Each structure stands twice: as C-alpha cells, then as structure tokens.
Amino acid sequence: MQETQPRISETTTLIVERESQGSHLLRDATAHVRAAAKRLGLDDGLLQVIETPEREINVALPVEMDDGTIHVFKGYRVQHSRLLGPAKGGFRYHPDVDIDEVRGLASLMTWKCSLLNLPYGGAKGGVSVDPTRLSTSEQARLTRAYAAALAPFIGSRVDVPAPDVNTNDKTMGWFLDEYERVTGTYDPAVVTGKPIALGGSEGRGESTGRGVALTAKLMLARVGIPLDEARIVVQGYGKVGFDAVRFLEEAGCKIVAISDVSGGLYNPDGLDIARINEHVANHPKRLLEGYIGEDAEPISNADILLLNCDALIPAALEGQITGANAAFVRARIIVEGANGPTTSEADPILASRGVLVVPDILANAGGVVVSYFEWLQGLQGQRWTLADVRERLDTMMTDAFNTVVVRADAEGITLRQAAFLIALERVAIAAQLRWHVAARS
Ligand code: NAD
C-alpha cells in the first residue's frame, strides 16, 4: 500500500460496536400508540400497517481520519411512515445511537407531524459516534459519507432529514452539498435546518425553544398562573433549553434553575440569566461549569427535577422522569422539551398527583413546524421574514395545543393520551383510504 493511501486502522476505538440496548422510547411510543388504537377501536391489521416501520436502512460509513487511518462508523435511517407525506426527521451523532433508539424516535416523528397537521410522515437517523472525538474535517467527511450512503433513499418528496442532537446547520450544509453532488441535482428542500445562505429559514434555530416556551405559557394560563409569578426550571441548556429560557424570561417568568451536562444552578428568587449567558459564551465548551456568583447555588441534574416550581422543562435527554422519581416531582406542570423525557411508568404516577404533562410530540414540535416552512420555501424559491415565521409558528402551535386540550377535556384523558389519539386518528384515516379497509373493527 502506498504511503499516500489511507490505511485501515488496527484499532477500532471510534467504532461503537455493541448490541442494541433497546430503548424505552420505542417501548413507550408503542405503548402510547396501542392505547390510542384501543380507544379508537382500530383494526389490528391496519394498526400493523401504521406501526411497522416502512423502511430501515443500515449503512457502513468508511471515513478517512486526519491521521490517514480509516474507521467505519455505523449509520441508520428509519422511515417509519409516509402515509401522510414524505418522511421527516432529524439525524443525530451520539455513542448511544442504535436501531431501536432510531426506530422509537422515527415513530415519535410520525405522531408529531400528524399532530401538528403537517403533510409529513416520520423518520429519524443517526450515526453511532462520539463527535467530540472527531475534528471538524472528520465530522464533515463522516456527514458526506452518510449523505452519499442515504442518497438513493431520500429526497425532497421522499424523506427529508434535519439536525438533531450533536448535528447543526453546518452539518446540514455538508449533507446538502454531498447529496446534490452525488445526485447531480439542485434540491435545497432535501434537508432542513440548513444555513440561511444555503436556503435555510429565518427562525429555524430558535423554533423548538420558542414552541416549548409558547406551550409552557399556554399551559400556565390554563392552570391560572400569571406569567410574572411563574417559577420555571429547565434541565438542559442546549439548543432547546437556551431559547425556551430566553422566550420565557422575555415573557416575565422567573427562571429559578437551569442545568447542563456539567451540573445546575439554582436560585429560588430567580437566576441572573444575562450574567450566566455571558459566562456560557466565554466558556470553551459553552457550559455552565465554573459559574461563580452569589446569585446561584449549585444543584445536581437529579435534584433539579424535584424542585418546587410551576413549570419543569426537561430539555436534555430521554428517560429523566421515571417510575423511581415521579412521586417526588413537585412541579405543577411538565413541558417536555426533550424527546421522551418521561417514561410510561412515570405518566400514571404524575397524573395521579395532578402534575400536568405537555407531551413531547406537542411541546417540542416547533422545530419540525419551521422545518416545514423551510421545506416550503425551498420548493417554491421563497424567503419568509422572521416575523412571518414566528407568526405562523405561533398560530400552528396554539391551534395544536387547543385541539389537544379540547380532546383531553372531552374524553377525560391526559394531554399525552389526547395527543396520541388525534395523531393516530389522522394517520389511520390516511391508511384506511390508501388500503381500502375499515379503520374501526
Ligand atoms: P443539545 O445537544 O443542543 O443540548 C442538550 C443539552 O443537554 C446540553 O445543555 C447538554 O449539556 C445537556 N445535557 C447532556 N447530558 C446531560 C445530562 N446527563 N444531564 C443534564 N443535561 C445534560 O440538544 P438539543 O437540540 O437542545 O436537544 C435536547 C433534546 O430536545 C433532545 O431530546 C432532542 O431530541 C430534543 N429535541 C430537539 C429539537 C431541536 O430542534 N434541537 C427538536 C425536538 C426535540
């Protein structure tokens, strides 16, 4: 082998080779859908059509590393459903990514898109990798390998990826460029969450946090807590948590605790968010770590979930509020910024204690709504203003919120049960019309 050729590495430390550990996301999504199907009296065969992922793609991604070695990463894409339109969903780079996690997240996208009445099915993707161990150029090559491997299976009318955990607008720019290179097309609507200069939308970056803040405000109003008296706790200070805090603070709420992977900060009288943001902006990894101030005391990520507050917003990871800690949650409402932060064991415990949960498929849908706006702009060669995007987003989120609340009240069920009922019903009608079978037994 010539010296200039990439060498196959003898070590495989960057390849995450392990058996699937399963995922509570998949298990819980299935449980919520089956409960909704039972309530709707859905035909078993039709439910199978709806539940079974349409297509699952496993890809090997050989990437030349900066030191000349080659590593092969495992990538996945699950197109769960295209009954309502092209499959839609992000892809993430994380060591825990496996096929079950991607399946669960893809299924959630189907219900989220349906609930928001978007002309989309659901998908999700991911690569099993620790991106903090890759240089920027290695991340670019990995993204290009992933885009090239998926190119035959995606498209603006087939499956439209977007950013998720550890992927961002820069990732989408590389992805778009590689897709257009291998297909020989110009097709900006094939991905969303792109840089604005490559056809991204104004307001996409803030959209999930804005939607989380909006649903929190709507829910606070519903339980009669004035915004200027509301005490908010946010776990996770990344893309979602940061903007949720920004919009809630703007609305007059008191942010009493926030946290990130490095730990949390707490002040029952309200944190000095501007000062904390200055610290984060100057931290090399943009973390809360090392923040010193008399205005805040440290708090762990486990304890932050149990603080006395009006709204708790888990905006970091899945599986945070579980059968083990749900009985100790003292929040009046929970607004799920993250995907799957509450397990199905926690749900009945919270409900029995009167804790109201705004489910992820509603609360964090702002991102996919503005992705839809970006897709429309891409297909039509249009550019919308930030004011347009915000107004349309707020209208769609408010409509979805009201629809869920009305259904929950009418049937005496939780907001999550109502959200899954509405989402499944729409998909079932589409499936029935396509399959010419009875939707109800
Ligand atoms: P991100 O990577 O930008 O931020 C994640 C945050 O969680 C960071 O502050 C990180 O430090 C923190 N964190 C990581 N591990 C933690 C731990 N063990 N304890 C406490 N905090 C921890 O990711 P994001 O885009 O903000 O996504 C957060 C969640 O929201 C994920 O579940 C994601 O799937 C979901 N979500 C994101 C979007 C979006 O548009 N970004 C849309 C819908 C749902």
Side-chain angles (χ1 to χ4, degrees):
M1 183 186 289
Q2 290 177 3
E3 210 39 48
T4 50
Q5 293 294 307
R7 286 168 286 114
I8 301 287
S9 167
E10 288 179 2
T11 63
T12 54
T13 48
L14 286 168
I15 309 176
V16 183
E17 286 281 6
R18 62 181 177 77
E19 290 298 305
S20 165
Q21 293 176 0
S23 163
H24 89 83
L25 272 171
L26 178 60
R27 191 202 58 188
D28 288 354
T30 305
H32 298 316
V33 171
R34 296 217 174 139
K38 199 168 166 198
R39 193 170 268 273
L40 290 173
L42 211 66
D43 172 81
D44 276 351
L46 199 68
L47 180 60
Q48 269 186 48
V49 172
I50 293 167
E51 259 193 333
T52 312
E54 263 185 45
R55 183 153 60 180
E56 301 190 347
I57 303 152
N58 285 274
V59 288
L61 307 172
V63 176
E64 184 182 352
M65 310 306 286
D66 290 346
D67 65 2
T69 59
I70 294 178
H71 286 281
V72 181
F73 297 89
K74 279 186 167 180
Y76 308 92
R77 184 81 183 162
V78 173
Q79 293 163 353
H80 176 260
S81 172
R82 287 185 299 151
L83 287 163
L84 291 177
K88 185 85 192 80
F91 65 86
R92 57 175 59 179
Y93 292 163
H94 197 279
D96 291 345
V97 166
D98 63 29
I99 191 68
D100 277 343
E101 181 183 81
V102 178
R103 275 186 193 127
L105 289 163
S107 159
L108 278 183
M109 286 305 299
T110 298
W111 315 120
K112 195 180 295 186
C113 293
S114 171
L115 181 64
L116 269 291
N117 227 345
L118 303 176
Y120 286 143
K124 205 75 176 194
V127 178
S128 184
V129 59
D130 179 355
T132 62
R133 297 176 63 189
L134 300 187
S135 69
T136 303
S137 53
E138 287 168 342
Q139 287 186 31
R141 288 195 290 275
L142 172 64
T143 303
R144 286 184 182 280
Y146 187 53
L150 292 187
F153 308 105
I154 63 171
S156 49
R157 302 283 186 178
V158 182
D159 176 5
V160 183
D164 192 68
V165 175
N166 292 325
T167 51
N168 55 28
D169 57 344
K170 211 187 311 179
T171 321
M172 293 305 125
W174 297 323
F175 191 101
L176 172 68
D177 186 63
E178 186 65 16
Y179 175 83
E180 291 184 338
R181 195 185 67 75
V182 300
T183 58
T185 55
Y186 171 75
D187 193 4
V190 72
V191 290
T192 58
K194 305 176 288 290
I196 288 182
L198 294 180
S201 178
E202 294 288 348
R204 172 63 180 88
E206 68 179 30
S207 55
T208 306
R210 184 176 177 86
V212 169
L214 177 67
T215 47
K217 287 186 280 184
L218 292 168
M219 200 63 205
L220 286 164
R222 183 169 156 77
V223 296
I225 299 172
L227 291 180
D228 57 2
E229 287 174 23
R231 294 157 306 136
I232 313 285
V233 169
V234 181
Q235 185 202 44
Y237 206 49
K239 294 189 285 288
V240 177
F242 182 88
D243 283 309
V245 164
R246 177 161 71 95
F247 287 114
L248 285 168
E249 213 196 19
E250 263 178 38
C253 301
K254 198 181 279 181
I255 312 298
V256 295
I258 57 174
S259 71
D260 67 15
V261 69
S262 68
L265 299 171
Y266 172 54
N267 182 342
D269 297 323
L271 294 167
D272 184 344
I273 295 296
R275 189 162 171 260
I276 292 171
N277 285 349
E278 214 179 296
H279 169 84
V280 171
N282 290 318
H283 188 286
K285 292 184 177 169
R286 300 184 66 81
L287 292 174
L288 299 170
E289 178 185 73
Y291 179 82
I292 299 166
E294 284 179 8
D295 55 311
E297 57 185 89
I299 184 161
S300 74
N301 264 304
D303 290 343
I304 203 170
L305 301 171
L306 311 181
L307 284 172
N308 189 357
C309 63
D310 296 306
L312 168 64
I313 304 182
L317 303 169
E318 62 184 69
Q320 295 300 293
I321 302 160
T322 65
N325 63 4
F328 307 102
V329 168
R330 287 185 292 162
R332 177 79 180 88
I333 65 178
I334 294 175
V335 182
E336 295 187 330
N339 284 315
T342 312
T343 67
S344 51
E345 288 81 18
D347 264 348
I349 300 172
L350 295 169
S352 72
R353 299 181 56 245
V355 181
L356 300 167
V357 180
V358 185
D360 47 8
I361 60 170
L362 173 61
N364 71 26
V368 71
V369 171
V370 178
S371 271
Y372 165 60
F373 297 162
E374 180 177 332
W375 180 73
L376 286 178
Q377 291 170 75
L379 291 175
Q380 299 171 354
Q382 290 192 16
R383 299 253 187 227
W384 299 3
T385 63
L386 179 60
D388 268 349
V389 168
R390 283 180 166 178
E391 192 189 325
R392 293 182 198 215
L393 169 65
D394 292 358
T395 303
M396 287 182 73
M397 293 287 299
T398 306
D399 286 351
F401 180 88
N402 289 335
T403 308
V404 170
V405 163
V406 166
R407 188 71 175 256
D409 284 352
E411 303 211 17
I413 53 180
T414 66
L415 297 177
R416 192 188 312 281
Q417 287 167 330
F420 272 90
L421 212 55
I422 296 163
L424 178 63
E425 207 166 42
R426 289 186 182 143
V427 176
I429 289 169
Q432 183 194 17
L433 290 168
R434 287 172 186 271
W435 281 76
H436 311 290
V437 291
R440 286 163 200 274
S441 52

